[in-house]
Structures are given as C-alpha cells and as structure tokens.
Amino acid sequence: MPRLQLTVDQLRERALIVRRDIITLLAHAKSGHSGGPLSSADFGTVLFFHEMNLTPGDQKDAGRDLWHFSIGHVTPAIYALMGERGYYPLIDLLGFRSLEGHLQGHPSKHDTPGIDVSAGSLGQGLSVCCGMALGARMDGSSRRVYCVMGDGEQQEGQIWEAAMFAAHYKLDSLCAVIDYNRKQIDGDVQDIMGIAPLADKWRAFGWNVLEADGHDIPALLGAFAQAREAKGRPTVILAHTVMGKGVSFMEDDYRWHGVPPSKEQADKALREMGTTLDAWTERLRHHKEVAVAPSVNGAS
Amino acid sequence: MPRLQLTVDQLRERALIVRRDIITLLAHAKSGHSGGPLSSADFGTVLFFHEMNLTPGDQKDAGRDLWHFSIGHVTPAIYALMGERGYYPLIDLLGFRSLEGHLQGHPSKHDTPGIDVSAGSLGQGLSVCCGMALGARMDGSSRRVYCVMGDGEQQEGQIWEAAMFAAHYKLDSLCAVIDYNRKQIDGDVQDIMGIAPLADKWRAFGWNVLEADGHDIPALLGAFAQAREAKGRPTVILAHTVMGKGVSFMEDDYRWHGVPPSKEQADKALREMGTTLDAWTERLRHHKEVAVAPSVNGAS
Amino acid sequence: MSRATPPSPAPAAVLANPEMKKTREGFGHGLVALGETNPNVVVLVGDLSGSTNVSFFAERFPERFVQVGIAEQNMMCVAAGLASVGKIPFLATYGAFASCRSADQMRVTVAYTDLPVKIAGAHGGISVGPDGATHQAMEEIAIVRSIPNMRMVVPCDYWETRKATIAMAGDAHPYYLRFGRESVPVVTKEDTPFVIGKANVMREGGDLAIIACGVMVYEALVAAEALASRGIQARVVNLHTLKPLDEDAIATAARECGAIVTAEEHQIYGGLGGAVAEVVVRQHPVPMEFVAVRDRFGRSGKPEELMAAFGIKAPDVLRAADRVLARKKPGA
Amino acid sequence: MSRATPPSPAPAAVLANPEMKKTREGFGHGLVALGETNPNVVVLVGDLSGSTNVSFFAERFPERFVQVGIAEQNMMCVAAGLASVGKIPFLATYGAFASCRSADQMRVTVAYTDLPVKIAGAHGGISVGPDGATHQAMEEIAIVRSIPNMRMVVPCDYWETRKATIAMAGDAHPYYLRFGRESVPVVTKEDTPFVIGKANVMREGGDLAIIACGVMVYEALVAAEALASRGIQARVVNLHTLKPLDEDAIATAARECGAIVTAEEHQIYGGLGGAVAEVVVRQHPVPMEFVAVRDRFGRSGKPEELMAAFGIKAPDVLRAADRVLARKKPGA
Ligand SMILES: Cc1ncc(C[n+]2csc(CCOP(=O)(O)OP(=O)(O)O)c2C)c(N)n1
Ligand SMILES: Cc1ncc(C[n+]2csc(CCOP(=O)(O)OP(=O)(O)O)c2C)c(N)n1
Ligand SMILES: [Mg+2]
Ligand SMILES: [Mg+2]
C-alpha cells in the first residue's frame, strides 16, 4: 500500500512527530536550517503520508511517484519525513551534517538512500522535475512528480524557464508546491525582492494555480486532490505558511532561516510540542523500525 | 540638439535607409543575421532618430540616454543605425565581421565606438539596463535607458530576474522594447517554446505594458511617449513585427534569422527598396559625413 | 595508451590536401546511430538544431527529441531529470553556453548527482569565425576539468567525433563533448581505434612530443612533417580525452622525448597544456611550450585567418617545437 | 616579487597558537573603508548579506547597497550596468554561485566588456564545513583564470583580504576575490606589503619551495617549521594573486629551490598547482607535488576534520615535501 493515505488526525500527529524530529536532529548537529523545514512540515507530511505513492527501499520501482525538494536547505524536514517513512533507521537523523553520517547538509544522491537527484543550489529543482515528468510520459508511465520550492527561490530565473517548459509540454503529472512563508535569508521576501502577485505570475506562465493554507491538513489534501484532476497543464500550489511554524519563538522570524536551536532552545521547543530533547533523542535512537506503526492504517 | 525628433515621414525615409544599409553590409560580409535586424529597423529608427537623446562622439556625456541591444545578433541593424546617426563613417559598415573592421559579429565595446556594453549571449541585456538605470538614479540623473530584446529571448530566465528587479526598484526611466516577430532560430516561437500570453507575464511582473505595431511609426512614437509618462514602474513595449520585414522573400520566414543574402538576393532586395547593391555600396563608400543631412531638422 | 593504426607518419600529400569534414556532422551522425540501437537515448536542444546538427536525430526520432528553446539552465536540469528516470540524454548548444550559462547546473545537479547527461558543446574555438568573441568558446577545458565526476572528450575530426558520441552513451557518467563549426581535415579512419581515456599516437618520434586535441592534431601533424624534413622526429599524440587524462601517454612522452609542445584551440590557462604540465611536473619534468590562445578574447574574421592571427596554426607549432628543442637538455 | 616584512620564519609559538580571524570580515571591513573614501563604490548581494559580511557596508551606506535577491545572473549584469555608468560595484554571494551560476554573465558582459566589476566569492573551499558539497566552492581558480581580462586574488588571512578588497577597487578591471567562511590564522600584519600580482615570500629557504594561497599559506608555514626542525629549509611563497600570475616568483623558486610543492584549498585540476606547473615547464622544469582536493566533491563535516579528511593539512604538505625532495635532482 504505497500511498499510505493517513487520516487527517493521523497526519496531524505525524506532522508533529516530524517537527520534533527536525528540532532534535538540528540540536544534535548544531548546524542547519530551522525556519523552512518547520514551515514545510505539514505539506511535507501530507505528501509523504497521503499523497505520494512511495516504495522506500525499492528506488528502482518504476511505478512509484517522484519527488524532489528544490530547496535543498530544508534537509531537516526531508530527512525527518524520509526517516519516518522508512527510508532508513531514525537513529541516522542524529548524524545529520556529520562526517560519519550519510545525511549531508544538502540532499546527496550518493550518500542518502532514497534521494534521486542531489540539490543545494536554488532554482534548479523544477527543471529536474520537468525532466522526470517528461521521461515518465515517454515511457507511458502515469507516475506523478512532486516538486517543493521556496518563495524566495521564485527570484531565480531558471524557475521561470522551467515554468514555461512545463506548460509548453503540458506536463500535467507535475505538481509543484511553494512554501510561501514570506521570508528568506535576509528578511521579508517583499522587501528583499518582491515576488507578488505570485499567483498571477504562474497563471501567466500557463499553470493551474491553487492556493491553500499550508498548515491546514484538509485544505492541503483538497489541493493535492484537485491537482490530480487538472489535465493538460501542470499545477502549482501556493502553500501559505509561517516560517518556523510550531515553535513559538521561531515563528515568522527570518533570523531562524539558517540556524539551529541550541540544546536549551530545542528542549524548550520540544516541551511546547509535548516532549523533551532527551526523550525525543531516545526515541530516535531506539525506534529503528519503519516509523509507521502497524496500527496506523491508510484510508484506502 | 541630441534628440533629433524627426517627423514621421523623415523617420519612414530613414528606416528605409537603414534597411538598405542592413542588406548591403550583410551582402558584403557574406555572414550575419537578416531577419531580426529587418524586424527591428522601424522601432530602431524611432529610437535613434526621435526618442533618444544621443551624443555620438561624446560617449562620456553624462546627460545622454543609454541604450543596449540584448539581442546582440541584430548588429546589422545596430551598426546601420549607429552609422547613420554619426557614430562612425558609413564606409565602416562594409567591414562588418571582418578581421580588419571594427564591427564585430556581436557588439563589442572595445572595438566599436559608441557601444557601452558588449553582448551576444541572450538574456543578459535587461539586467545591464537595470544597472544603468539604477546607477543613473543614484547620481540624480534623469537620463533614460532603452533596452531591446527578442521574443525568443524571453525564454531566458534571466530576463524574468531582471523584470522582477526593475519593478521592485521602480525603475521608471527604463523602457524595454521586444521585437515580437514570432520567430526564432529553429522556427515559430509558439512551437519552439511558447511565451504567450506575453503581456500578461510582464504585467504579472509589475511592468507597464504597451503594445504597438512595430512597423507603424506613429504608433511607435505614441508608445514611447506613453512610456515617458509612466511613473513608478518600468515600461515594456511589445512591438509586433514581421521577421525580415521589407524584403518580400524574407518576410515571416524564420530561415532568414541567421543568414545573409547572396549578392544576387541583396540586389533583388535593394531593388525592391528603390536602389541597387552597387549604388548603395557606393553611397556607403563615399558618404563619410554624419549621416543626418543638415536639411533634416528635428521637431523640437 | 593505444596506438592508432597505422601509427606511421601521415603521408605529406594527404596532409597537404586532406579530406575536409565537419566534426558536428560526426556528432549528428553518431546520434542517429545511437538512436537506432538505444531506445533510451534522447536529445535536447536550445534553439540550435541546425548548427549543432541534432536536426539529424530530430528528423528520425521526433518522439525522443526535446526542443527546450533558449533556456540553457533549464535544459541542463531537464536532462538531469530525464537521466534520473533512465534516459541517456544528450543536450546540445554552443560551447560558450553549454560550459558557462549552465555551469552551476552542470556542477550541482548533473555532476554531483553523477548522472549520465551528455553535454555537447558545439562551436568550440576561435575557428567559429565571423560570429566573434562571445560565440568562440575557449574556456571549456578549464571549466569542465575542474568539476568532479565530469568526463571530457575533444575529438580531432569527423570520425573521432562520431565514435566519441557513441562511446560516451555507453558510460553511465556525465560527459562534455567539444567540437567545432567548420570543416576540418580528416586525420583518422573509420576503423581507427578509439577508447575513452586512451590517447592515440598519430605519429612516432623521439625528439619531442607534440600533444594536441581537436583540430590542432592536424596542425601538429603538419608541423611534424615539416620537422621530419629537417631530420627531427616528432611524436604526435592525439589526447582526445581531457578527462580522465591518459597520464601514462603523457609521462611516456616526457620520458622518451624529453620535450613537449602542446597544441589546442583553447585559452592558454588551464587547458590541455595545463593538464599535460600538471602530469609532467609530477612524473617527469621536461621543458614544454604551449600553442594556445594567449588569454585573449576572440574576434570576428575568417576561421583560417583567425587561427593564424591567434597563433595556433602549424607554423606556430613549428616555432614552439624549435623553442622547446633549444631548451631540451642534451642528454634527455 | 616583494618580500614580506619580516621574511624571517614565523616563530613556532605563533604558528602553534595563532590569532584567528575571518577573511570575510576582512572583506566586510575593506568595503566599509572603501565606502568612506570612494563614493562610487556600491555593493550588491544575493540574499546573503550576513554570511558575506556586506551587512557592514549596508548598515553604513544603505543608499549604495543593492539587494538583488536570489538571482545571481541578474546580479552580475546589474553590476556590469552600474560599472558602465561609472560605479565600482562589488557583488557578493557564495563562490559556488559567483563562479558557476553567473559564469556566462561574468565572461560575456563583465570580462569581455572589461568592466570594473568586483566579484566576491565567499565560502570558498572545503572548510565551509557542514553545508556540504554544493556549498564548498573548489573550482573557482580554474574557471576564473580561463576567462580573459579577469583578475583573481585568493588572500591568506584577514589583513590580506582587507587589503585586497581595497586594492582591487583602484584597478579598472574585473576581479574575483575568493575567501572562506571560518576563522583562519592571521599570518600577515596590518603593514605587510600587499601588491596585486606580486607574490609574498613568507619564509626564506632554498631546499624546496612551498607555493600556497588562502588558508594553505598557514598550513605551508607550519609544514615549513616542521621541515626546519629536520634541517630542511623550505621557502614559503604566498601566491595571493592567481591572475595575473607572478611568473618571476615562481621561476625564481624553481631555479633556486629545485623542487616545488603547491598547496591550495581547491580542486587539483586547473588550480594554483596547475597555474604554477604551467610556468615551471615553460621556464625551469623541476619536480612538483600538489596538495589539493583530489577531484572529489566535498561533504558535510567540521572544517578542520574535512581539511584533514581531504588531505590538505600541514601533515599533507609535509608528506608532499618529502616526496618532492626524494625526486629532486642532487645537483639542482
Ligand atoms: C543559487 C543559490 N543562491 C543562493 C543560495 C543561498 N540560499 C540558501 S537558502 C536561501 C534563501 C531561500 O529563501 P526561500 O526560498 O524563501 O527559503 P526559506 O528561507 O523560506 O527556507 C538562500 C539565498 C543557494 N542555496 N542557491
Ligand atoms: C544564451 C544564448 N543562447 C543561444 C544563443 C544563440 N541564438 C542567437 S539568436 C537566437 C534566437 C533568438 O530569437 P529571438 O530573440 O526571437 O531573435 P530573432 O530570431 O527574432 O532575431 C539564438 C538561440 C545565444 N546567442 N545566446
Ligand atoms: Mg521563504
Ligand atoms: Mg524573434
């Protein structure tokens, strides 16, 4: 059952788990990004635990869906999602960004099982996904392709090259999600280099544009379902999010874009989420199984 | 009187002269682009002989307007316009693309007097013009900046980076013209990589968008005048043109994008324009003065 | 190092009046041959079908041909995406754009992921002619060689380009293939052995070695012929693969000949000459002279005229040979 | 070649316990100094104000600071446009993007036009640490050196970065300045002479020369100290300018020392080692050994840990010295 299709409550619970993982792995690495990973946690969870047909451990499965984070810096979210979905033991999260571990600062195909294409330079991922979608279509496959982008990232011209391409080739198996958290490294996106009106831009580039509260699980489920219906053009979901979502002292503050919490801050954050740094570290250390407990069943 | 502001009839006549120059210089070089230069000839003439404040021979004049062709391959038009406007003797046109001449295949600052920034790789020019406009504003100057782009060129992502930048910084001294001839090297733009709806794209990127028949001199004059009025945002004029305009056997045929006419074809083309290859070559060879005859007076 | 068959000097007559053929046609024909045998081969182009000769493939296999328009960054990453789902994508544009406009995409998405994307950089070198500096790519060797996982081939003629095109499709790593615009002398044969990473000795000799790639292999052969008429035997090494480098062929040349001239249609810094020098000083230091473009942008002109003006014709190779021979240690 | 004051060996104690300072701070402070004296200096950044330290300038001179967002191609050409109307623009981003994402723009618009755009590539080298391979720029020397008209400086410490920043503003050509992320040992003084294009001899010696740039100058000094304790005198040359190259300093080192080790925090192909080798074989062939990253992508880890794992710490320089000394001709 590669599409898990968890229920809304299960997804909420899972997103909380992912957030706890993010904070914990960052605190251990003492390096990495907090803001974007937390804003991506909800739609990421919907993707990994409901929307996408994934077969962890069988990367060669030609039927599975494809996904790629163009914002390579949100590895804390990517790795937590992958770990929870069973790509590798959760204990690996504690080796984030270390020389010994396999979880690089930015996604690396030859280090981490489950990564298809390496990333880390912004603006390139949508093009990669275009190639995946086109290749799948050449093979007569109906596998879908999901691309996660940032809002600051929209400033990269290559995104608009890819946007043009995807519309030109009517790549309707392609669904992009933009983590519209209104922040980037140096501050507010609208101050740094305004991207508004973003929906108009994507429409003018020929895309089916959907907007959703990026922390509202039912809204996200609805958007992904709608994307599947769109024929003849690709879909982009503007997921309106809050940077640092879920940690009171991080929310909506761009200064958390690229720094990890200290151990103390992490413990504080985890207490807000109903656990502690020690307790959650213990979970990661010992919870070696595929993270989806057998009691959790998909809806289909 | 650096803005010549010729009359409509004078501009029409001047554009015809520019087209004759283009054909003649191409035939002599036996190398170079025909299609885009001919589609650019009319708005180019309006720019050089009406709209822009130019001071040929005094490149250091901090009051003159700035212009830059992002489509470096339309040098036949650029060089003809410059020659006619008095940047160098017209005879130089006959040395186009030769080792001895100063007129390189693509614009080169250190070869050709009057070129501010070299070009030849598509998609870079609008950014250059953004820098010019911003620099002028820092200096408190009101000089205007004109950028000529191609329609195929709109596929380059850097253009959209620059578009975003110019709107963000409200560069209203910047006016871009797109030679919307619907053709590029490999065929029709809409088949190669569709750019429609182009006006919507520019609007969504925050620009003042004007459209005009790119061969209708009064319409072009009107558009440039309107662009001067726009405050707080840059203007782009979609100049709807015909590739190869003015030469019956070249019009609307993409295969003329990058090839020159043979001597016979050039003579045929020039006869359509009321002269011959020999006669027009003679004109270029001997007409060494600043090309604007004293009888031609500007309107202001 | 494999020895070309025959390694004997090309007859002066052939050198004086060589068959002329375009390397880009070798690329185009190689693609068609691949298309016929390998259904995974797909071809992408950035609005330059004709001048890169991918039009040959496009006509035969339209369903495996992807027109990307003028968007080289996107093209590089679309190719990567295609490779990630099992295709063997060739992408074609001018070398100036293949190497520079999408360098970051080549580095991060293609090379770091180590995907079998094959990058064809057409219009390499000053011999591009009238288009001028911006279109005369002369930095590709330096750029591509610096990026880990990349492989690079600079074939010398039609046949070698055809063979290189076919060979690189069979290796699951990223490649950069550099070729030119003009017709150039055919100096190999249809059955001359071609192995990626193995230099071909085109002419034996022990007085000095001329190591060249691309069209400069022909210029080297012409220079060697002139040297032979003065009793000097120059070994001519066709170093078609710039990465991985045939270090043995280079070290052997240094040891056996004691002096090396390199010849390339490329900037002098970080090109073939630099690659050879890096091996020479580590393995067997000998005097070297470089025939290359001397850190200058190109300009418009006729191809042959430009090659002469920029100092990379056979007489320039000859002069470099004389210089290096004068420096060679008597006993070496 | 100018000789640093004093050229005498840095005392072992200082090397063992050096003052640590960030080169990027030298850049940031240099910009502020420029801002105070030269109203034409403007600064552009691609959403990396803090980590490139252009924030220092932005706070002081907000009206001359241009935030470009994440659009490196645009940034390079906006800088060119600013330069064309008389500004002296410095643009800053990570070296991976400065050198690769906007390589075509650097080549065509900036270098071919020969505009005084100053490109600051931060986060050069494996010592970038935990961000990993994509952010560890190690190809810049090869790329930038291949492009005509470009100049390039890789300063060794805080003071040299500050001086280089100020010096390049005074020269009307395009520059690339490469510096790192971490605090590195301060091995020069505020008043150590710095002249673009003139290598500094940091330590005299005639048994071999260690030619280095960037943080590797420190590693070279440490290695030289260890060699001295064994009675071997190594000359340490700080080759801060990679282009134009101080060919005299290199040739002199080859002639006087007879053996060279190069040390750089860069890929092994086409970097400082390659640049030195190109001069050595043309002027005075001697054995060389290269300390550099061996054509591999970087990875996440702690800076020091990575430098050791990738073989570019003082012990690696020492081993290279031993290898080259073993190869050195007795009489040379
Ligand atoms: C091409 C490129 N330029 C710059 C960077 C450095 N960088 C990493 S993340 C980032 C900001 C991204 O903003 P956004 O997409 O909004 O992500 P968020 O900060 O919301 O996580 C920048 C500039 C990069 N990784 N790649
Ligand atoms: C970056 C870049 N890619 C490719 C080219 C090659 N090229 C030159 S002109 C051209 C087509 C341009 O189309 P368009 O802008 O419509 O100009 P037109 O053909 O109408 O003159 C191409 C692909 C180039 N000069 N620069
Ligand atoms: Mg954001
Ligand atoms: Mg067009």
Side-chain angles (χ1 to χ4, degrees):
Chain A
M1 196 179 302
R3 280 189 76 198
L4 289 179
Q5 298 192 303
L6 302 197
T7 65
V8 170
D9 282 347
Q10 288 168 331
L11 289 167
R12 284 200 183 110
E13 184 191 339
R14 190 64 49 161
L16 182 62
I17 290 171
V18 166
R19 284 202 167 83
R20 289 167 175 165
D21 291 352
I22 290 171
I23 295 298
T24 306
L25 73 85
L26 282 167
H28 282 274
K30 299 193 184 68
S31 169
H33 300 71
S34 301
L38 289 170
S39 51
S40 307
D42 293 309
F43 65 74
T45 300
V46 172
L47 279 169
F48 276 67
F49 293 91
H50 189 282
E51 174 64 11
M52 295 197 295
N53 173 348
L54 300 177
T55 50
D58 183 11
Q59 237 7 46
K60 295 217 188 291
D61 175 0
R64 72 183 168 94
D65 289 338
L66 296 157
W67 53 270
H68 183 66
F69 281 71
S70 186
I71 36 174
H73 63 279
V74 301
T75 37
I78 304 172
Y79 296 156
L81 289 163
M82 291 177 77
E84 295 293 340
R85 192 64 171 79
Y87 282 87
Y88 40 71
L90 287 171
I91 191 172
D92 295 4
L93 297 180
L94 299 176
F96 180 50
R97 286 181 170 236
S98 71
L99 189 56
E100 308 75 32
H102 65 78
L103 299 178
Q104 298 296 301
H106 293 80
S108 168
K109 170 174 167 152
H110 294 288
D111 290 282
T112 306
I115 298 287
D116 286 312
V117 176
S118 303
S121 176
L122 294 168
Q124 305 188 16
L126 188 62
S127 303
V128 171
C129 292
C130 285
M132 291 171 164
L134 191 65
R137 185 164 76 190
M138 285 175 175
D139 291 340
S141 160
S142 62
R143 67 205 298 191
R144 291 180 62 76
V145 182
Y146 296 86
C147 182
V148 178
M149 293 185 280
D151 53 355
E153 194 191 15
Q154 305 296 303
Q155 294 153 0
E156 278 291 354
Q158 189 183 344
I159 293 212
W160 303 101
E161 296 180 359
M164 220 179 249
F165 181 95
H168 186 80
Y169 283 102
K170 305 188 198 312
L171 300 177
D172 53 16
S173 65
L174 177 60
C175 176
V177 187
I178 297 173
D179 180 21
Y180 206 158
N181 61 17
R182 303 182 312 283
K183 306 283 169 189
Q184 59 189 104
I185 291 185
D186 280 351
D188 278 13
V189 174
Q190 68 184 43
D191 299 335
I192 300 300
M193 181 52 58
I195 58 170
L198 189 60
D200 285 0
K201 288 188 173 66
W202 283 94
R203 264 190 293 270
F205 274 74
W207 285 54
N208 178 38
V209 181
L210 305 174
E211 305 210 35
D213 177 337
H215 301 303
D216 180 335
I217 305 280
L220 289 165
L221 288 169
F224 284 117
Q226 257 186 279
R228 283 181 182 268
E229 302 304 312
K231 295 295 166 230
R233 56 198 178 133
T235 294
V236 60
I237 300 173
L238 309 192
H240 295 278
T241 59
V242 174
M243 184 175 266
K245 177 73 178 184
V247 178
S248 63
F249 55 90
M250 292 185 178
E251 283 190 5
D252 219 24
D253 184 348
Y254 74 89
R255 288 169 304 177
W256 282 102
H257 158 91
V259 289
S262 66
K263 296 249 151 139
E264 296 67 41
Q265 289 169 321
D267 193 58
K268 191 169 165 228
L270 287 163
R271 282 174 197 276
E272 290 183 3
M273 298 185 205
T275 181
T276 65
L277 181 56
D278 284 347
W280 205 257
T281 302
E282 279 307 287
R283 172 181 178 269
L284 295 184
R285 208 161 263 150
H286 301 298
H287 190 66
K288 297 206 177 194
E289 337 240 294
V290 173
V292 180
S295 71
V296 176
N297 282 314
S300 78
Chain B
M1 193 181 302
R3 278 190 76 197
L4 289 179
Q5 298 192 303
L6 301 198
T7 64
V8 170
D9 282 346
Q10 287 168 332
L11 288 168
R12 285 200 183 109
E13 184 193 338
R14 191 64 48 162
L16 181 61
I17 290 171
V18 166
R19 284 202 167 83
R20 290 167 175 164
D21 291 351
I22 290 171
I23 296 297
T24 305
L25 73 86
L26 281 167
H28 282 274
K30 298 193 184 70
S31 169
H33 299 72
S34 302
L38 290 169
S39 52
S40 307
D42 293 310
F43 65 74
T45 300
V46 172
L47 279 170
F48 276 67
F49 292 91
H50 190 284
E51 173 66 11
M52 296 196 296
N53 174 347
L54 300 177
T55 50
D58 183 10
Q59 240 2 51
K60 296 218 189 290
D61 175 359
R64 71 183 168 94
D65 289 338
L66 296 157
W67 53 270
H68 183 66
F69 282 70
S70 185
I71 35 175
H73 63 279
V74 301
T75 38
I78 304 172
Y79 295 156
L81 289 163
M82 292 177 76
E84 296 294 340
R85 193 65 172 78
Y87 281 87
Y88 40 71
L90 287 172
I91 192 174
D92 295 5
L93 297 181
L94 299 176
F96 180 51
R97 286 182 171 236
S98 71
L99 188 55
E100 307 75 33
H102 66 78
L103 298 179
Q104 298 296 302
H106 293 79
S108 167
K109 170 174 168 152
H110 295 287
D111 289 282
T112 306
I115 298 288
D116 286 311
V117 176
S118 304
S121 176
L122 293 169
Q124 305 188 15
L126 188 62
S127 304
V128 171
C129 292
C130 285
M132 291 171 164
L134 191 65
R137 184 163 78 191
M138 285 176 175
D139 290 340
S141 160
S142 64
R143 67 206 297 194
R144 292 180 60 75
V145 182
Y146 296 86
C147 183
V148 178
M149 294 185 279
D151 53 354
E153 195 191 15
Q154 305 296 304
Q155 294 152 0
E156 278 291 354
Q158 189 183 344
I159 294 209
W160 303 101
E161 296 180 0
M164 221 180 247
F165 181 95
H168 185 80
Y169 283 101
K170 305 189 200 310
L171 300 177
D172 53 14
S173 65
L174 177 60
C175 176
V177 187
I178 296 173
D179 180 21
Y180 205 159
N181 62 16
R182 303 181 314 284
K183 306 284 169 191
Q184 59 188 105
I185 291 185
D186 280 350
D188 278 14
V189 174
Q190 68 184 43
D191 299 335
I192 301 300
M193 180 53 56
I195 59 171
L198 189 59
D200 285 0
K201 288 189 174 65
W202 284 94
R203 264 191 291 270
F205 275 75
W207 285 53
N208 177 37
V209 182
L210 305 174
E211 305 211 34
D213 177 337
H215 302 305
D216 180 335
I217 305 278
L220 289 165
L221 288 169
F224 283 116
Q226 255 186 278
R228 284 183 181 267
E229 303 303 314
K231 295 293 165 231
R233 57 199 177 134
T235 294
V236 60
I237 300 173
L238 309 193
H240 294 278
T241 59
V242 174
M243 182 174 267
K245 177 74 179 183
V247 177
S248 63
F249 56 90
M250 292 185 179
E251 284 191 4
D252 219 23
D253 184 349
Y254 74 89
R255 288 169 304 179
W256 282 102
H257 158 91
V259 288
S262 65
K263 295 248 152 141
E264 296 67 41
Q265 289 170 323
D267 194 57
K268 192 167 166 230
L270 287 163
R271 283 174 197 275
E272 289 182 4
M273 298 185 205
T275 181
T276 64
L277 181 56
D278 284 346
W280 205 257
T281 302
E282 278 309 286
R283 173 180 179 271
L284 295 185
R285 208 161 264 150
H286 299 298
H287 190 64
K288 297 206 178 196
E289 336 240 293
V290 173
V292 180
S295 72
V296 176
N297 281 314
S300 81
Chain C
M1 137 188 75
S2 70
R3 308 251 150 174
T5 329
S8 55
V14 170
L15 290 179
N17 200 3
E19 185 194 356
M20 302 293 285
K21 249 176 136 165
K22 294 195 171 80
T23 46
R24 50 184 166 142
E25 269 173 31
F27 171 62
H29 291 149
L31 284 184
V32 172
L34 282 171
E36 278 161 359
T37 55
N38 192 331
N40 285 326
V41 169
V42 299
V43 174
L44 300 90
V45 79
D47 194 23
L48 290 167
S49 299
S51 46
T52 62
N53 282 354
V54 299
S55 49
F56 304 172
F57 184 95
E59 276 154 32
R60 283 287 301 280
F61 310 101
E63 72 292 348
R64 285 190 270 149
F65 174 72
V66 186
Q67 173 62 263
V68 182
I70 315 170
E72 295 79 8
Q73 301 192 104
N74 186 48
M75 177 159 67
M76 188 69 76
C77 290
V78 169
L82 283 161
S84 79
V85 295
K87 304 295 172 197
I88 302 171
F90 280 73
L91 68 86
T93 179
Y94 292 154
F97 314 129
S99 64
C100 285
R101 191 55 161 264
S102 43
D104 192 26
Q105 290 76 11
M106 171 164 63
R107 176 178 178 269
V108 174
T109 299
V110 171
Y112 183 37
T113 315
D114 199 10
L115 289 165
V117 170
K118 319 297 171 180
I119 303 163
H123 283 38
I126 189 83
S127 63
V128 163
D131 271 338
T134 58
H135 282 55
Q136 293 156 340
M138 300 199 281
E139 299 79 17
E140 311 103 294
I141 298 177
I143 295 171
V144 175
R145 232 170 61 86
S146 76
I147 301 177
N149 291 339
M150 290 300 304
R151 274 73 168 157
M152 182 174 206
V153 181
V154 183
C156 66
D157 69 0
Y158 170 87
W159 288 115
E160 203 164 83
T161 311
R162 197 177 188 287
K163 284 174 224 168
T165 304
I166 293 169
M168 68 180 56
D171 184 20
H173 297 286
Y175 271 83
Y176 188 103
L177 179 72
R178 184 204 203 215
F179 50 90
R181 178 180 192 272
E182 296 296 296
S183 289
V184 296
V186 177
V187 294
T188 68
K189 301 204 174 116
E190 187 167 358
D191 61 359
T192 305
F194 174 82
V195 181
I196 291 165
K198 291 284 159 207
N200 280 346
V201 173
M202 307 287 284
R203 175 180 182 125
E204 292 290 357
D207 293 330
L208 81 156
I210 310 176
I211 304 182
C213 66
V215 67
M216 297 306 293
V217 170
Y218 170 76
E219 302 296 335
L221 288 169
V222 173
E225 193 66 32
L227 286 165
S229 73
R230 284 158 44 193
I232 298 164
Q233 296 309 328
R235 174 179 309 180
V236 176
V237 180
N238 171 7
L239 193 70
H240 50 69
T241 307
L242 273 294
K243 196 178 182 185
L245 209 56
D246 187 343
E247 302 206 355
D248 278 354
I250 297 167
T252 304
R255 224 173 10 249
E256 295 179 359
C257 306
I260 293 174
V261 168
T262 55
E264 64 198 299
E265 198 189 354
H266 187 274
Q267 300 291 356
I268 194 162
Y269 297 139
L272 171 140
V276 171
E278 290 170 9
V279 176
V280 163
V281 296
R282 277 191 285 114
Q283 303 227 10
H284 190 88
V286 296
M288 279 181 63
E289 294 287 330
F290 294 62
V291 176
V293 173
R294 304 193 155 266
D295 193 32
R296 291 169 54 193
F297 278 106
R299 59 181 290 116
S300 291
K302 298 201 182 68
E304 286 290 304
E305 197 176 68
L306 288 168
M307 287 189 63
F310 281 74
I312 55 168
K313 289 288 292 176
D316 303 295
V317 179
L318 206 53
R319 274 188 290 274
D322 284 335
R323 284 199 308 274
V324 88
L325 286 168
R327 290 174 53 207
K328 186 176 164 181
K329 299 256 166 54
Chain D
M1 132 189 74
S2 69
R3 309 251 149 174
T5 329
S8 56
V14 169
L15 290 179
N17 201 2
E19 186 194 356
M20 302 294 284
K21 247 176 138 165
K22 295 195 170 80
T23 46
R24 50 182 166 144
E25 270 174 31
F27 171 63
H29 291 149
L31 284 184
V32 171
L34 281 171
E36 278 162 0
T37 55
N38 192 330
N40 285 326
V41 168
V42 299
V43 174
L44 300 90
V45 79
D47 193 26
L48 289 167
S49 300
S51 45
T52 62
N53 281 354
V54 299
S55 50
F56 304 172
F57 184 95
E59 276 153 31
R60 283 287 301 279
F61 310 101
E63 71 292 348
R64 285 191 269 149
F65 174 73
V66 186
Q67 173 61 264
V68 182
I70 315 169
E72 294 80 7
Q73 301 191 105
N74 185 50
M75 178 160 64
M76 186 71 74
C77 290
V78 169
L82 284 161
S84 79
V85 296
K87 304 297 173 195
I88 302 170
F90 281 74
L91 68 85
T93 178
Y94 292 155
F97 314 130
S99 64
C100 286
R101 191 53 162 264
S102 43
D104 192 27
Q105 291 75 13
M106 170 165 62
R107 176 177 179 269
V108 173
T109 299
V110 170
Y112 184 37
T113 315
D114 199 10
L115 290 164
V117 170
K118 319 297 173 182
I119 303 162
H123 284 39
I126 189 83
S127 62
V128 164
D131 270 338
T134 59
H135 283 53
Q136 293 156 340
M138 300 199 282
E139 299 79 17
E140 311 103 296
I141 298 177
I143 294 171
V144 175
R145 233 171 59 87
S146 76
I147 300 177
N149 292 338
M150 290 301 303
R151 274 74 169 155
M152 183 173 205
V153 181
V154 183
C156 67
D157 67 2
Y158 169 87
W159 288 115
E160 203 165 83
T161 311
R162 197 176 188 287
K163 285 175 225 170
T165 302
I166 293 169
M168 68 179 58
D171 183 21
H173 296 287
Y175 272 82
Y176 189 104
L177 179 72
R178 183 202 203 216
F179 50 90
R181 180 181 191 271
E182 297 295 299
S183 290
V184 296
V186 177
V187 294
T188 69
K189 300 203 173 117
E190 188 167 0
D191 60 358
T192 305
F194 173 82
V195 180
I196 290 166
K198 292 284 160 207
N200 279 347
V201 174
M202 306 288 284
R203 175 179 182 126
E204 294 289 359
D207 293 330
L208 80 157
I210 309 177
I211 305 182
C213 67
V215 66
M216 296 308 293
V217 170
Y218 170 77
E219 302 296 334
L221 288 169
V222 173
E225 193 66 32
L227 286 164
S229 73
R230 284 159 43 191
I232 298 164
Q233 296 308 328
R235 174 179 308 182
V236 176
V237 180
N238 171 8
L239 192 71
H240 49 69
T241 306
L242 274 294
K243 196 178 181 185
L245 210 55
D246 188 344
E247 302 207 355
D248 279 354
I250 296 166
T252 305
R255 224 172 10 248
E256 294 179 1
C257 305
I260 294 174
V261 168
T262 55
E264 64 199 299
E265 198 190 353
H266 186 274
Q267 299 292 356
I268 193 163
Y269 298 139
L272 171 139
V276 171
E278 290 171 9
V279 176
V280 163
V281 295
R282 277 192 285 114
Q283 305 226 11
H284 190 89
V286 296
M288 280 181 62
E289 294 287 330
F290 294 61
V291 175
V293 173
R294 305 196 153 264
D295 192 32
R296 291 169 53 192
F297 278 105
R299 58 181 291 117
S300 291
K302 298 199 182 71
E304 286 290 304
E305 194 176 70
L306 287 168
M307 288 188 62
F310 281 75
I312 55 168
K313 288 288 290 176
D316 303 294
V317 179
L318 206 53
R319 274 189 290 272
D322 284 335
R323 283 199 308 274
V324 89
L325 286 168
R327 290 174 53 208
K328 185 177 163 180
K329 299 255 165 56

